[in-house]
Amino acid sequence: MLPGSIQISGETLSGAEIRDICESLRENSVRLLSLRGCQLSERDFGHVCRGAAESRSLAQLNLNLGIVSNINRVKQLAEALKTNRSVQSLFLHGSPLTDAGLALLNPALSIHPSLVALDLGDCMLGDEGINLICGLLPPDGAKSGLKELTLSANPGVTSKGWGRLAIAVAHSSQLRVLNLDYNPLGDQVAGMLAVAVASSRTLEVLDLEGTGLTNQSAQTLLDMVENYPTALRTLILAENNISPELQQQISDLLSEGEEEEEMEAREVTAREKNPWICQNNSSSQMVLMTSGLGDSLLAETEM
């Protein structure tokens, strides 16, 4: 039988329910465990962590909305992740981690062999936390790293921290999705991110919704999309002080780029099927783009 999912939201979990969850984890019958916004005792949280540590099937762990509510729980989760080898996506959105909590969790995140998606939105992080996260975005030629990163609503991060992240994104050989929505970034940080996107060979989705941007940022991003070949497919600029015209221009350019990539991919496929097709321009360069986040990422992304 294929592993299934356990998804519970906003409930107070009993000891019997926790025992059932842990038994399923130990039996490797759970691929997705989501306890979003649930209430459980310290003892029961420890049981869940030990069950997750033993599971070989668990691919997505959602503890959003305050489940990891204190340093003791951070330590227990860190210990579980040091043993677990299967978790690919970890969601901690809305947990009061702070930089101190992330420092305790970071060693386990750094050595985890399967983790590719991490949500640390609204986790009260600052610049020190961002420095740790940059270590999860190794440069070209280094070990594998995150493919999807969410840092929404962490207003304690300064422009210095975001600048450090922009440098890491520019050199990351893995990252495909970056969500920075509802952070007070402003035009200066947006300019740094534009340079990072232009340098990245993998970033496909950038969410800048509600980040205090103006037409100045939009013009910079427009110039970047128009003049530099990037992997970017989706740029979210809603809830900013940006004119609809500029947003539409950027959207149109990204759509044009995607259509060109699809056409080039079809031409490559046709040549592979018929090796006798000749190219008129031998110097033309064909670029193949991946269409998603890979088989390792799960479709379920609730917060």
Side-chain angles (χ1 to χ4, degrees), residues 264-278:
E264 289 173 351
R266 285 195 296 268
E267 290 176 356
V268 170
T269 301
R271 285 200 303 275
E272 289 174 347
K273 291 181 178 179
N274 187 351
W276 300 107
I277 295 177
C278 297

Side-chain angles (χ1 to χ4, degrees), residues 81-92:
L81 291 172
K82 286 179 182 177
T83 303
N84 176 276
R85 290 292 179 268
S86 62
V87 169
Q88 299 168 15
S89 303
L90 177 63
F91 298 142
L92 300 177

Side-chain angles (χ1 to χ4, degrees), residues 23-132:
E23 183 178 351
S24 297
L25 288 168
R26 287 192 293 269
E27 291 176 350
N28 299 310
S29 61
V30 179
R31 181 167 173 79
L32 162 63
L33 175 60
S34 176
L35 303 179
R36 183 174 177 266
C38 290
Q39 300 294 321
L40 62 164
S41 68
E42 294 296 315
R43 180 180 179 182
D44 285 342
F45 182 84
H47 288 324
V48 170
C49 285
R50 285 189 287 276
E54 297 175 21
S55 176
R56 298 188 304 276
S57 64
L58 185 64
Q60 180 168 303
L61 180 59
N62 186 332
L63 300 175
N64 283 349
L65 302 183
I67 303 295
V68 186
S69 55
N70 56 53
I71 289 297
N72 184 54
R73 292 192 176 192
V74 173
K75 291 178 180 178
Q76 292 183 85
L77 178 59
E79 287 301 314
L81 291 172
K82 286 179 182 177
T83 303
N84 176 276
R85 290 292 179 268
S86 62
V87 169
Q88 299 168 15
S89 303
L90 177 63
F91 298 142
L92 300 177
H93 202 110
S95 302
L97 283 182
T98 72
D99 290 351
L102 184 57
L104 293 174
L105 192 60
N106 186 66
L109 299 177
S110 300
I111 65 172
H112 199 284
S114 302
L115 188 68
V116 292
L118 180 63
D119 186 342
L120 296 177
D122 195 18
C123 283
M124 302 173 64
L125 301 180
D127 289 354
E128 290 301 319
I130 294 298
N131 286 339
L132 295 172

Side-chain angles (χ1 to χ4, degrees), residues 157-167 169-170 178 180-181 183-199 203 206-225 232 235-238 240-242 250:
V157 181
T158 70
S159 58
K160 179 180 179 181
W162 295 126
R164 175 72 179 85
L165 180 70
I167 294 172
V169 170
L178 178 61
L180 299 179
D181 47 312
N183 285 298
L185 302 181
D187 293 331
Q188 180 183 5
V189 173
M192 292 187 284
L193 290 171
V195 174
V197 173
S199 301
L203 192 68
L206 177 60
D207 188 350
L208 299 177
E209 180 176 0
T211 50
L213 307 187
T214 70
N215 283 345
Q216 177 183 331
S217 298
Q219 189 61 58
T220 300
L221 292 165
L222 177 63
D223 292 342
M224 179 269 295
V225 172
L232 195 67
L235 178 60
I236 302 172
L237 296 172
N240 285 296
N241 189 23
I242 296 174
I250 293 171

Side-chain angles (χ1 to χ4, degrees), residues 253-286:
L253 283 171
L254 290 174
S255 297
E256 289 175 8
E258 188 170 351
E259 291 171 359
E260 290 174 359
E261 289 161 6
E262 290 175 354
M263 184 178 297
E264 289 173 351
R266 285 195 296 268
E267 290 176 356
V268 170
T269 301
R271 285 200 303 275
E272 289 174 347
K273 291 181 178 179
N274 187 351
W276 300 107
I277 295 177
C278 297
Q279 280 184 269
N280 291 329
N281 183 2
S282 61
S283 65
S284 62
Q285 190 175 30
M286 307 307 295

